Amino acid sequence: MLSQKTIDIVKSTAPILETHGVDITTYFYKTMFEAHPELLNIFNHANQSQGRQQTALANTVYAAAQYIDQLEVLLPTVKQIAQKHRSLTVKPEHYPIVGEYLLKAIKGVLGDAATDEIIGAWGEAYGVIAQVFIDIEKEMYVEAAEKSGGWEDFKEFIVEKKVTESSLITSFYLKAKDGVSVPWYLPGQYITVRLSIPGQKHLLNRQYSLSQAPGSDSFRISVKREADHNPQGKVSNYLHDRLNVGDTIEASAPAGDFYLEKGEQPVALISGGVGITPMMAMLGSIAENEPNRKTVFVHAARNKDAHAFGEEAAALVEKLNDGKIYIAYEAKKDESEVCDITGYVSRDFLQQVIESNSVCYICGPISFMRAVVSHLTVLGFSKNNIKYEFFGPALALEA
Ligand SMILES: Cc1cc2nc3c(=O)[nH]c(=O)nc-3n(C[C@H](O)[C@H](O)[C@H](O)COP(=O)(O)OP(=O)(O)OC[C@H]3O[C@@H](n4cnc5c(N)ncnc54)[C@H](O)[C@@H]3O)c2cc1C
Ligand code: HEM
């Protein structure tokens, strides 16, 4: 239990820390990785170098500080972060390290303004926040390990099939090396894959959504080659160019709180580009378990060449008694490319094809998700009926 004095200090200094938030977390990561380079085997270096992870952690620590006397308000956010922590094998022994360097960073950035009293109060508050994470993560590790076919940390998988799905996306079918069938998962969840790439000093971890409904004995992930920017994406290019049938890769058990909820409510699955992957698992699950559920599947791709799972999605929608599929191409290469919308998915279009009481699942590039979420909000969809997954640090969209 924190004293009222500690609570008052933390609450009154949280806004000051927030103004220096990114400076503090940037300082924090730099000094922490200097002292504990082994943690670079867990963190995503590309997210670090673009400042995305710093912002996500800073936002959460200051939000938590503001609610330090009613942490239950933050539980949904904590659970979402804890899912990612569990999939990356963040453990209780890591929390004191993060705490130590976070406090050193507050002192380092604020200097004398961070008195011993303030640092002491933040130390206590961090301990309370960390314990909430540790307790929730402990339950998640137990749940992952106790599931039929489950395991706690990482486990080895063999690539049993590699399939080109479009000019940019390739699927990998992963079968456990020990021969045990993969556990049941919720359609929409992801796994973290971990690999050692020649020439890279540290292990690389990346999340990939499972792109087929649960029930098979192996996982399928579908990876977009990130080749548009310099430097090119490390893991996606390695997987496309180097990882072949018979090769080994490590994966942690399925995680994530973006998943299809069963029910009577009509459902809209709206994706852009590689954001189609969790939607394929959801669509497959509806086709198998809820074929009478009213379903609209909207997918936006750059053009036909970049359009993955065209036939597979159409075949799944065929199995539904009340299913519709709409494809948008941003720019058709020529008139032989057939689609339902040329250009962006507009608000008018969404209004025409999606019933207003639908639950909408959205995944795609950030600009696509911002546009779709904003259209649905203007059309009167409630926050509860708009669910999305961002393929990067999750809090970025809200920020
Ligand atoms: C929950 C979740 C589910 C996901 N599901 C999928 C999925 O189903 N399919 C899929 O393909 N992806 C998915 N992703 C994304 C995936 O995890 C990887 O982020 C993606 O494959 C890119 O990884 P990479 O190693 O190839 O690129 P990285 O090396 O991580 O680089 C990412 C991007 O940043 C740029 N970059 C790298 N370093 C710098 C720098 N120093 N400065 C500026 N820019 C830089 C790169 O050019 C690239 O565009 C998911 C992510 C999450 C969080
Ligand atoms: C109370 C303390 C902590 C808070 C508030 C916190 C907060 C966060 C947040 C907000 C994210 C982004 C979530 C997302 O992408 O969906 C995140 C991700 C992550 N956290 Fe934590 N975290 C804490 C402790 C730790 C510890 C102790 C470790 C391990 C050393 C750790 C390792 C990671 C890693 C590796 C990621 C993913 C980063 C990436 O992909 O770049 N966190 N955390």
Side-chain angles (χ1 to χ4, degrees):
M1 278 291 284
L2 296 173
S3 69
Q4 191 56 45
K5 191 170 174 207
T6 301
I7 292 171
D8 292 344
I9 295 174
V10 167
K11 281 187 154 189
S12 64
T13 50
I16 307 168
L17 262 60
E18 198 163 9
T19 19
H20 296 279
V22 175
D23 288 342
I24 293 173
T25 37
T26 306
Y27 185 114
F28 152 73
Y29 277 118
K30 188 174 172 295
T31 48
M32 183 173 79
F33 289 141
E34 273 163 16
H36 290 277
E38 76 281 4
L39 292 180
L40 287 165
N41 289 315
I42 302 186
F43 281 87
N44 177 330
H45 319 145
N47 287 347
Q48 292 292 322
S49 51
Q50 292 168 88
R52 295 193 292 224
Q53 176 57 23
Q54 285 86 325
T55 314
L57 189 131
N59 287 344
T60 312
V61 171
Y62 307 124
Q66 275 148 24
Y67 291 100
I68 191 71
D69 49 352
Q70 41 173 151
L71 283 174
E72 62 286 355
V73 174
L74 293 170
L75 278 185
T77 308
V78 172
K79 282 190 179 154
Q80 178 205 319
I81 299 166
Q83 289 275 349
K84 193 166 276 178
H85 281 168
R86 202 276 293 147
S87 86
L88 284 156
T89 65
V90 171
K91 293 288 169 84
E93 59 271 24
H94 294 134
Y95 281 86
I97 303 176
V98 165
E100 180 186 342
Y101 287 90
L102 198 55
L103 293 183
K104 283 186 175 155
I106 293 174
K107 185 79 196 158
V109 171
L110 296 188
D112 291 343
T115 61
D116 288 350
E117 193 177 43
I118 292 175
I119 293 292
W122 274 88
E124 277 185 63
Y126 173 82
V128 171
I129 297 168
Q131 199 55 49
V132 175
F133 276 89
I134 291 169
D135 291 345
I136 289 177
E137 284 158 18
K138 188 173 169 200
E139 284 171 24
M140 289 178 175
Y141 281 109
V142 171
E143 199 192 319
E146 286 186 350
K147 257 190 189 169
S148 169
W151 68 101
E152 184 169 324
D153 293 334
F154 281 92
K155 160 167 159 166
E156 287 189 321
F157 283 79
I158 304 281
V159 179
E160 62 170 357
K161 206 161 48 149
K162 185 173 173 181
V163 178
T164 304
E165 307 286 3
S166 75
S167 58
L168 293 171
I169 298 176
T170 293
S171 287
F172 299 83
Y173 290 75
L174 307 175
K175 201 167 168 48
K177 205 170 188 173
D178 61 13
V180 176
S181 287
V182 299
W184 195 262
Y185 53 87
L186 296 162
Q189 288 192 307
Y190 59 82
I191 55 173
T192 291
V193 302
R194 182 168 78 173
L195 59 167
S196 161
I197 296 187
Q200 297 292 319
K201 228 168 138 188
H202 300 283
L203 296 171
L204 294 165
N205 297 270
R206 296 291 184 270
Q207 286 74 41
Y208 291 105
S209 304
L210 295 163
S211 62
Q212 63 183 5
S216 152
D217 59 356
S218 52
F219 289 138
R220 181 178 75 177
I221 57 169
S222 307
V223 179
K224 178 189 164 212
R225 184 195 280 283
E226 293 293 343
D228 284 353
H229 304 283
N230 200 4
Q232 296 200 343
K234 282 196 183 109
V235 172
S236 59
N237 283 285
Y238 180 84
L239 295 176
H240 275 249
D241 297 338
R242 298 284 159 84
L243 193 81
N244 292 313
V245 172
D247 289 346
T248 301
I249 187 168
E250 287 183 303
S252 62
D257 62 357
F258 177 72
Y259 57 83
L260 177 79
E261 282 170 41
K262 283 191 181 166
E264 305 282 298
Q265 207 180 350
V267 60
L269 308 176
I270 309 166
S271 60
V274 74
I276 195 170
T277 52
M279 303 305 163
M280 291 305 293
M282 293 188 192
L283 184 61
S285 168
I286 297 171
E288 212 163 292
N289 306 308
E290 305 178 289
N292 292 324
R293 191 167 185 186
K294 192 171 179 133
T295 304
V296 174
F297 186 92
V298 179
H299 178 62
R302 280 187 207 165
N303 52 38
K304 192 169 190 322
D305 285 352
H307 178 190
F309 302 116
E311 285 176 15
E312 188 177 323
L316 289 171
V317 170
E318 274 293 302
K319 291 185 176 177
L320 307 180
N321 294 322
D322 195 354
K324 292 265 169 14
I325 183 165
Y326 300 99
I327 301 299
Y329 290 154
E330 193 179 320
K332 288 198 248 183
K333 271 199 186 156
D334 56 54
E335 284 314 307
S336 70
E337 299 201 339
V338 182
C339 60
D340 303 288
I341 311 155
T342 307
Y344 291 140
V345 174
S346 68
R347 184 182 305 159
D348 284 350
F349 177 78
L350 293 174
Q351 186 171 28
Q352 275 168 35
V353 303
I354 300 175
E355 261 186 40
S356 57
N357 62 337
S358 303
V359 54
C360 304
Y361 294 89
I362 305 149
C363 188
I366 187 141
S367 52
F368 172 87
M369 291 208 298
R370 281 215 174 100
V372 171
V373 169
S374 142
H375 292 332
L376 294 172
T377 307
V378 172
L379 292 174
F381 284 79
S382 72
K383 228 179 158 186
N384 284 343
N385 282 338
I386 303 179
K387 299 176 189 287
Y388 54 84
E389 177 90 288
F390 179 51
F391 282 0
L395 304 178
L397 187 60
E398 281 140 37

